[in-house]
Amino acid sequence: MQVPSHVEYEKAKSVEHALELLTRFGPEARVLAGGHSLIPMMKLRLAQPETLIDINGISGLSRITVADGELRIGALVRHGQLLASAVAAGHFPVLRDAEQVIADPIVRNWGTIGGSLCQADPSEDLSAAFGALRAIAVIQGRDGSRRVPVREFHLGPYETVVAPAELLTELRVPIAGDGSGSAYEKVSRRVGDWSIAAAGAVLTLSSDGTVTEAGIGLAAVGAGHFVSTAAEDFLRGQPATDAVFGQAGQVAAEHCQPAADQRGPVDYKRHLTGELTTRALRRAAIRVRARAGGQTV
Amino acid sequence: MSTAEPDPPLGYGSMRRKEDTRFIRGQGSFIDDIKLGGMLHGAVLRSPYAHARIQSIDVSAAQAHPRVRAVITGETLATRDLAWMPTLAGDTQAVLATDKVRFQGQEVAFVVADDRYAARDALELIDVEYEPLPTVMDARQALDPDAPVVRDDLGASNHIFDWESGDAARTDEIFAAADVTIAEDLLYPRVHPAPLETCGAIADFDPISGKLTVWSTSQAPHPHRLLYSMVAGVPEHKIRVISPDIGGGFGNKVPLYPGYLCAIVGSMITGRPVKWIEDRSENLMSTSFARDYHMHGEIAATRDGKILAVRVRVLADHGAFNGAAQPTKFPAGFFGVFTGSYDLQAAHCQVTGVYTNKAPGGVAYSCSFRITEAVYLVERMVDMLAFELDADAAELRMQNLLRPDQFPYTCATGWVYDSGDYTSTLQLALDKADYTGLRQEQAAGRERGELMGIGISFFTEAVGAGPRKHMDIMGLGMADGVELRVNPGGTAVLRIAVQTQGQGHETTFAQIVAEELGIPPDRIEVVHGDTDQTPFGLGTYGSRSTPVSGAATAVAARRIRDKARVVAAAMLEVATGDLEWEKGRWYVRGDPDQGRSIAEIALAAHSDLELPAGVEGQLDASCVYNPPNLTYPCGAYVCVVDVDPGTGKVEVRRFVAVDDCGVRINPMIVEGQIHGGLADGIGMALMEVIAYDTQGNCLGGSFMDYLLPTAVECPSWELGETVTPSPHHPIGAKGVGESATVGSPPAVVNAVIDALRPFGVRHADMPLTPAQVWRATQGRPLRTDLAQS
Ligand SMILES: Cc1cc2nc3c(=O)[nH]c(=O)nc-3n(C[C@H](O)[C@H](O)[C@H](O)COP(=O)(O)OP(=O)(O)OC[C@H]3O[C@@H](n4cnc5c(N)ncnc54)[C@H](O)[C@@H]3O)c2cc1C
């Protein structure tokens, strides 16, 4: 049996209390959210925090709401909750698509949105989805809160801008107009496995079918900040056709930096990045058109 | 919704497993559920290197830990002559490394502490200085002259054995003259049985009585007892091995592992019971793997599709110690059955075993001693022949399958197949699948660019090891004992030497007795897994329980029936010759009302009833069954897959499995065994592999890396059966535990390769991950056992 090394445990009652505990216990303390990344790492003794600050008891961080033209998702919202949220899926189907293929029901019942982003695993799906959506992370410190675009949130693998005595409290996504649609595509070796590659696409189309804005998120293929700005630049101003989406896929494939592992060699991951980007764009475009026609797909 | 449970059958037939009552309530008792008073906990320190010389081991800091009771190293063991232990294949294996480590995850030290947390903490306090050495990770380079030598304790090369079977000269002749010959390299990659319960043991040595009790995850308690006595120097009669409920074995729990011995030594040193339970990564990285067969297969045929001969050369990677568990005279297991289900004129194989810096083992994982590899080889070669001849894979098999009148059939390598009706079995599978309809659908789909594949495999298994004159493990003949006693009240106790790990022995074996004696299965207690409580026998693996111990059970029950006849004759005051048997009672011929039930007879046998001279009272019997031959189950499998052309992702749409395992005792249990094996097959074909990088890092050391299939990857199985009894088995049964694991991987692979036909793909090695499938379509399939680049 894998057992972690000795660790102290504190239960935070509020955001303020959590921040106070984090300050008191210093950099060797770690926030415990769903624990589905942290606890396995502790059992493997890859992480050996001195103190766990359990934030699961904090109320107010588990809500999905719409306010001021933004979808707001609390850091303690569980994967399963986001998956089930009609409000979230109504505005951004990419979120439901992604949640459907993240891990398994057991992990989704506990793992949190905040934990996922803070873990900053290079294969993490929500970073790609929120990256594509140009979401904003709200980070709370003892001296107040700051808003950081998700596209500036990650400093590298397993590293974010959240300081040791800060908490990620919320993700905010500006709600787009009618001409937008989104989708997420992922291929893994088996259900519940991490992506070999995954792509999220967010499209805004003008009434004549021109791409006015695009967001392309990529997971597991070494895309800087989980997005492909090259593919986005390529798409802007182009007609939303399958041919263009195919080319955009090529651009995304060329501009990512996948690393080989047992999920696949570099050439395959690159190929898959292109294929999935293209598929996600197609599905996003179908959704834009369906929405214009009053349907959901 | 509730459905009334039908009465259990008075003999054969589907009934729920007796053991499920405890399992579904969470009341099973597995090793880790057992807690003894004063019990300590052990943990193993493992090597981070695949090959390194040990310069020094400093255990002082660990020893100083307040909750640590003992720290054991190879040096400690050497003083007791215990640093090395024999393997089942006649090699020796380091219990704790002394000179050098030979694979990543090898056992280096053992800590005994008050609790498992302290034991793990103390591992981090042990300071080992290693001098890393160059590694040999690829079996194909193991025999290179400049390859690093893994076993410098044995000699100067990585060569273990050469073994051959069949007629080389005749096979060469046929190949030289054949119209069509095909050759291909095929890898059956290293996979792991990955039972959900990992291995573990509790050892309790009593210094006063000198008795050693070992609770362990063992598929073979009796052979383990002998091994413990050989290694630990405790005489056999002072050792009791108890194998409690086991959470899956699949061959993984046949060998002896260093952890078991460390627990024993830990208990001897501390005078307290010591529990050791390995974690998931330890199980995957260090315990018995399976396969790792690098095969060069060849098939020869006439242009009109008559298969003439098969030839194969194998490089067998056995890892750092030859820990393969198989009958001694068969270093390549039963790979000799690579002749498959076809009427060949000749066949020849040559197998070379090599050492590498990988975990030891070799035969494990429901493989019927390498028939998994054999069936994969021949079924892939037959499909490649169909590919080259542009023939239909089903028709080609039909044309070449053995006919019913050819049994018993001696195959080109000398195995005597007992019985079968292969063409009927295949036809039933094709009909169930609507093979013709599938081919039409496939053709239409190809027009639209869809990649649908249909794969067939036909397998012949050889199970139930085995005849004593041919088969032994470490000198122990592979016969099994049973003891059966009918109690005065008419209930019975059956003691068996085989050990269930989920196969349902407590039910199946009770049903065998029920069928023979007419005692209801729920009035028969089956005792197993305790060397103090059961007769000697070799244990459960290689699908041998029903063929060997099942036969012993039937014979013992028949002996009881004969004895009951004598008692009934005395009760009824008639001659035994006047009595007739119907299930559960003896009655007077021509006067059916005059009879005595088995329960009445049992009571009388224990009473003061006067019995004829020479007949002892009571109603019991025993049997040691020495099988005259193996049994040869067979089956025809049809798999249908869809491949996504853009991503390479495979989806198994349908799987039809028609099995012939002879007489079915409990059809529901048989189907359960098949379901599990089919899932195994999908796992191996599509996702399971333990690869290593060039430094020797194991790349399959957790369930994040070593993928087991889930329900999502498995279609709803479509099963069918034909029943061809084994002519030499007392109840006509053949083993079935491994059939589906053996037969299903080639069906899945054949289906995927068939789907890739538009790309001209003839072969790609397992596992057929999306990456591998895509690379195959690019004409550049991967070496799946190496790190990807
Ligand atoms: C079997 C399995 C399969 C998985 N598959 C996938 C997959 O396919 N795709 C995918 O994207 N993910 C996958 N995951 C990861 C999973 O989604 C994340 O592990 C999980 O959701 C992380 O969230 P958590 O709440 O469990 O975080 P925790 O494990 O509790 O924390 C993770 C890290 O974030 C920090 N942290 C957590 N919350 C905050 C906060 N509010 N502020 C600051 N720091 C914080 C913690 O201190 C810790 O360092 C898988 C996980 C498992 C176990």
Side-chain angles (χ1 to χ4, degrees):
Chain A
M1 198 171 102
Q2 286 159 344
V3 291
S5 56
H6 181 87
V7 63
E8 296 292 333
Y9 173 88
E10 296 286 337
K11 198 160 176 57
K13 298 185 191 75
S14 63
V15 171
E16 294 68 35
H17 187 214
L19 294 173
E20 183 202 313
L21 290 167
L22 282 169
T23 312
R24 187 178 344 142
F25 289 98
E28 294 307 313
R30 289 285 279 278
V31 170
L32 175 70
H36 271 70
S37 290
L38 185 52
I39 302 284
M41 290 200 310
M42 288 170 62
K43 286 167 95 179
L44 292 167
R45 300 196 174 206
L46 295 172
Q48 303 203 355
E50 284 171 7
T51 313
L52 289 179
I53 315 290
D54 183 350
I55 61 170
N56 285 281
I58 300 180
S59 59
L61 291 185
S62 305
R63 283 196 291 263
I64 301 175
T65 53
V66 173
D68 300 335
E70 291 174 326
L71 177 72
R72 299 182 172 180
I73 303 168
L76 274 181
V77 166
R78 314 281 165 184
H79 289 299
Q81 202 184 336
L82 183 57
L83 175 60
S85 166
V87 175
H91 290 293
F92 306 112
V94 62
L95 293 175
R96 178 179 287 174
D97 288 355
E99 284 295 0
Q100 249 159 5
V101 291
I102 289 177
D104 51 51
I106 299 164
V107 175
R108 291 200 293 261
N109 285 342
W110 263 107
T112 65
I113 308 312
S116 294
L117 264 83
C118 290
Q119 180 65 22
D121 188 297
S123 303
E124 209 276 308
D125 290 295
L126 288 183
S127 298
F130 284 118
L133 288 169
R134 295 185 167 80
I136 309 286
V138 181
I139 299 168
Q140 181 83 40
R142 293 195 87 185
D143 306 330
S145 78
R146 55 196 178 111
R147 295 164 56 107
V148 177
V150 165
R151 291 180 175 217
E152 293 165 21
F153 184 81
H154 299 97
L155 298 176
Y158 311 104
E159 245 192 298
T160 70
V161 297
V162 183
E166 288 184 321
L167 268 192
L168 171 66
T169 53
E170 200 170 60
L171 285 147
R172 299 185 176 183
V173 193
I175 290 173
D178 270 354
S180 82
S182 62
Y184 197 78
E185 295 276 350
K186 159 173 169 171
V187 169
S188 53
R189 293 171 299 176
R190 191 207 62 194
V191 71
D193 187 25
W194 295 78
S195 303
I196 303 170
V202 181
L203 275 179
T204 309
L205 305 185
S206 66
S207 51
D208 69 352
T210 305
V211 178
T212 54
E213 184 55 287
I216 303 290
L218 299 175
V221 291
H225 296 287
F226 294 87
V227 290
S228 180
T229 49
E232 292 165 352
D233 292 345
F234 168 81
L235 280 162
R236 251 177 248 114
Q238 297 274 352
T241 62
D242 281 1
V244 165
F245 295 155
Q247 286 165 344
Q250 298 267 308
V251 174
E254 278 159 31
H255 285 83
C256 63
Q257 301 291 330
D261 59 17
Q262 295 319 94
R263 292 190 173 82
V266 170
D267 60 354
Y268 172 66
K269 290 189 178 184
R270 232 181 246 292
H271 161 80
L272 195 57
T273 303
E275 179 72 26
L276 296 183
T277 302
T278 304
R279 289 185 186 189
L281 282 166
R282 270 195 233 142
R283 196 137 65 99
I286 290 171
R287 283 177 170 156
V288 177
R289 291 173 195 130
R291 207 167 177 189
Q295 305 163 310
T296 46
V297 278
Chain B
M1 191 184 77
S2 79
T3 46
E5 180 74 352
D7 282 343
L10 193 63
Y12 303 160
S14 288
M15 66 175 271
R16 292 203 177 155
R17 302 194 314 170
K18 292 167 58 168
E19 38 274 82
D20 287 342
T21 317
R22 64 179 188 276
F23 290 143
I24 60 176
R25 287 173 170 78
Q27 296 298 314
S29 179
F30 300 88
I31 286 281
D32 210 13
D33 295 320
I34 298 169
K35 294 176 178 67
L36 304 180
M39 188 170 75
L40 302 173
H41 295 262
V44 174
L45 180 73
R46 294 177 183 277
S47 165
Y49 294 103
H51 202 191
R53 200 160 298 288
I54 296 178
Q55 307 280 32
S56 64
I57 305 179
D58 181 358
V59 299
S60 52
Q63 237 146 9
H65 188 290
R67 300 211 302 279
V68 166
R69 301 300 172 123
V71 182
I72 300 165
T73 62
E75 218 171 290
T76 329
L77 295 180
T79 61
R80 295 168 178 252
D81 207 14
L82 254 167
W84 292 78
M85 64 178 187
T87 71
L88 296 176
D91 195 359
T92 52
Q93 174 173 354
V95 178
L96 294 175
T98 47
D99 51 344
K100 62 177 192 177
V101 288
R102 293 172 170 84
F103 67 94
Q104 187 183 52
Q106 187 177 339
E107 299 78 1
V108 175
F110 188 73
V111 169
V112 182
D114 290 345
D115 56 73
R116 51 179 42 145
Y117 292 87
R120 286 272 161 164
D121 289 349
L123 294 184
E124 294 178 13
L125 301 174
I126 300 175
D127 191 12
V128 186
E129 249 183 276
Y130 295 100
E131 179 203 338
L133 299 169
T135 59
V136 47
M137 304 312 304
D138 183 353
R140 297 175 201 183
Q141 289 162 12
L143 298 179
D144 289 355
D146 57 348
V149 177
V150 180
R151 297 296 300 278
D152 42 358
D153 57 314
L154 296 179
S157 117
N158 293 316
H159 181 267
I160 311 178
F161 65 83
D162 283 311
W163 178 84
E164 64 174 326
S165 179
D167 186 336
R170 175 103 185 89
T171 308
D172 292 351
E173 263 168 45
I174 291 174
F175 265 88
D179 301 342
V180 184
T181 62
I182 294 169
E184 185 71 74
D185 288 322
L186 303 93
L187 169 69
Y188 208 131
R190 177 175 280 233
V191 293
H192 199 278
L196 282 193
E197 179 203 30
T198 60
C199 297
I202 303 169
D204 187 10
F205 182 71
D206 179 346
I208 309 296
S209 66
K211 179 123 189 172
L212 170 67
T213 307
V214 185
W215 288 259
S216 64
T217 47
S218 171
Q219 295 177 231
H222 288 278
H224 278 192
R225 185 181 56 166
L226 177 66
L227 278 166
Y228 289 138
S229 84
M230 288 165 61
V231 181
V234 180
E236 252 177 303
H237 71 294
K238 291 288 190 187
I239 302 178
R240 179 180 183 187
V241 177
I242 301 173
S243 202
D245 284 330
I246 294 197
F250 315 106
N252 188 234
K253 293 167 180 169
V254 176
L256 215 57
Y257 293 120
Y260 301 164
L261 282 165
C262 288
I264 291 173
V265 176
S267 178
M268 288 175 163
I269 289 177
T270 61
R272 308 230 320 236
V274 174
K275 177 189 274 189
W276 165 75
I277 307 282
E278 70 190 0
D279 67 31
R280 177 61 55 199
S281 293
E282 293 181 288
N283 180 256
L284 287 168
M285 289 174 68
S286 74
T287 65
S288 219
F289 69 94
R291 329 284 191 254
D292 218 340
Y293 254 35
H294 302 248
M295 304 184 276
H296 179 76
E298 293 174 275
I299 191 164
T302 64
R303 199 162 312 284
D304 57 5
K306 167 88 186 105
I307 304 172
L308 302 172
V310 176
R311 189 162 60 186
V312 48
R313 268 187 288 116
V314 181
L315 204 52
D317 187 339
H318 283 239
F321 305 98
N322 186 9
Q326 72 225 335
T328 310
K329 291 170 201 138
F330 299 84
F334 297 172
F335 187 76
V337 193
F338 70 93
T339 48
S341 313
Y342 310 102
D343 191 9
L344 305 181
Q345 294 175 7
H348 181 251
C349 77
Q350 211 268 312
V351 182
T352 300
V354 295
Y355 291 119
T356 59
N357 289 117
K358 301 185 188 176
V363 174
Y365 202 171
S366 308
C367 71
S368 297
F369 301 122
R370 306 262 190 217
I371 293 181
T372 324
E373 289 92 322
V375 166
Y376 180 72
L377 184 275
V378 66
E379 288 307 294
R380 280 299 299 125
M381 293 312 299
V382 169
D383 253 43
M384 287 183 220
L385 180 64
F387 180 101
E388 293 298 337
L389 295 175
D390 206 13
D392 179 86
E395 278 170 29
L396 186 66
R397 284 183 172 81
M398 273 296 182
Q399 181 186 349
N400 287 284
L401 282 176
L402 293 168
R403 297 182 318 276
D405 61 15
Q406 288 178 283
F407 291 93
Y409 173 81
T410 304
C411 79
T413 47
W415 301 74
V416 184
Y417 298 8
D418 59 350
S419 65
D421 182 356
Y422 290 1
T423 46
S424 300
T425 306
L426 178 56
Q427 193 57 53
L428 181 59
L430 296 175
D431 292 347
K432 273 185 91 72
D434 181 21
Y435 184 69
T436 320
L438 287 172
R439 285 288 177 207
Q440 284 161 0
E441 186 188 342
Q442 180 185 43
R446 272 187 191 157
E447 305 273 306
R448 298 186 296 268
E450 291 167 12
L451 300 180
M452 167 186 172
I454 304 156
I456 300 172
S457 86
F458 196 100
F459 67 90
T460 297
E461 266 259 74
V463 303
R468 286 178 55 199
K469 66 171 186 269
H470 301 306
M471 290 167 195
D472 69 274
I473 292 186
M474 299 194 75
L476 301 171
M478 300 189 79
D480 282 356
V482 303
E483 290 165 11
L484 177 59
R485 190 175 75 228
V486 184
N487 295 317
T491 61
V493 179
L494 175 72
R495 296 168 191 280
I496 56 177
V498 286
Q499 169 59 37
T500 182
Q501 313 121 43
Q503 294 91 339
H505 287 173
E506 291 167 30
T507 309
T508 297
F509 282 78
Q511 289 185 267
I512 296 174
V513 175
E515 179 75 23
E516 298 295 333
L517 295 179
I519 301 171
D522 58 4
R523 291 168 65 82
I524 301 163
E525 186 72 8
V526 177
V527 179
H528 57 92
D530 181 345
T531 55
D532 272 10
Q533 302 273 344
T534 58
F536 190 86
L538 284 220
T540 293
Y541 41 85
S543 300
R544 64 187 298 279
S545 291
T546 298
V548 187
S549 279
T553 299
V555 171
R558 285 170 194 177
R559 286 180 181 157
I560 286 195
R561 204 159 75 196
D562 291 344
K563 199 164 170 184
R565 183 181 202 168
V566 176
V567 177
M571 291 169 83
L572 293 162
E573 298 178 355
V574 295
T576 51
D578 295 335
L579 292 178
E580 295 244 354
W581 173 257
E582 67 179 357
K583 203 184 266 185
R585 79 194 269 273
W586 284 105
Y587 66 92
V588 179
R589 183 176 307 112
D591 189 2
D593 290 347
Q594 285 282 354
R596 289 291 182 270
S597 72
I598 191 80
E600 291 165 333
I601 296 168
L603 190 57
H606 288 81
S607 74
D608 58 2
L609 174 76
E610 204 164 317
L611 295 168
V615 179
E616 295 173 350
Q618 305 189 356
L619 205 50
D620 53 8
S622 64
C623 170
V624 176
Y625 189 78
N626 176 24
N629 186 8
L630 301 178
T631 66
Y632 290 76
C634 69
Y637 291 173
V638 180
C639 176
V640 184
V641 301
D642 296 297
V643 177
D644 183 325
T647 65
K649 179 102 179 155
V650 175
E651 198 178 306
V652 179
R653 189 205 300 182
R654 288 181 66 197
F655 203 110
V656 173
V658 175
D659 271 88
D660 191 332
C661 58
V663 172
R664 294 184 175 204
I665 297 155
N666 184 326
M668 189 173 79
I669 287 182
V670 168
E671 289 183 3
Q673 293 285 297
I674 293 168
H675 285 184
L678 296 176
D680 268 349
I682 286 189
M684 288 182 284
L686 300 183
M687 59 194 82
E688 292 178 35
V689 61
I690 296 200
Y692 290 83
D693 68 16
T694 47
Q695 282 99 56
N697 294 306
C698 174
L699 304 176
S702 81
F703 276 165
M704 295 295 281
D705 308 297
Y706 191 78
L707 300 179
L708 296 181
T710 76
V712 176
E713 286 76 36
C714 297
S716 181
W717 314 113
E718 302 169 60
L719 303 191
E721 66 177 83
T722 55
V723 177
T724 316
S726 168
H728 64 76
H729 188 273
I731 58 177
K734 302 178 176 184
V736 75
E738 300 160 317
S739 286
T741 315
V742 168
S744 56
V748 180
V749 174
N750 286 346
V752 175
I753 301 295
D754 183 56
L756 302 184
R757 182 87 199 209
F759 293 89
V761 176
R762 195 175 81 171
H763 179 69
D765 287 329
M766 297 183 282
L768 295 165
T769 57
Q772 173 69 325
V773 170
W774 181 77
R775 283 288 290 260
T777 65
Q778 306 296 301
R780 295 179 296 124
L782 300 163
R783 260 293 289 274
T784 53
D785 59 335
L786 306 179
Q788 301 308 323
S789 57

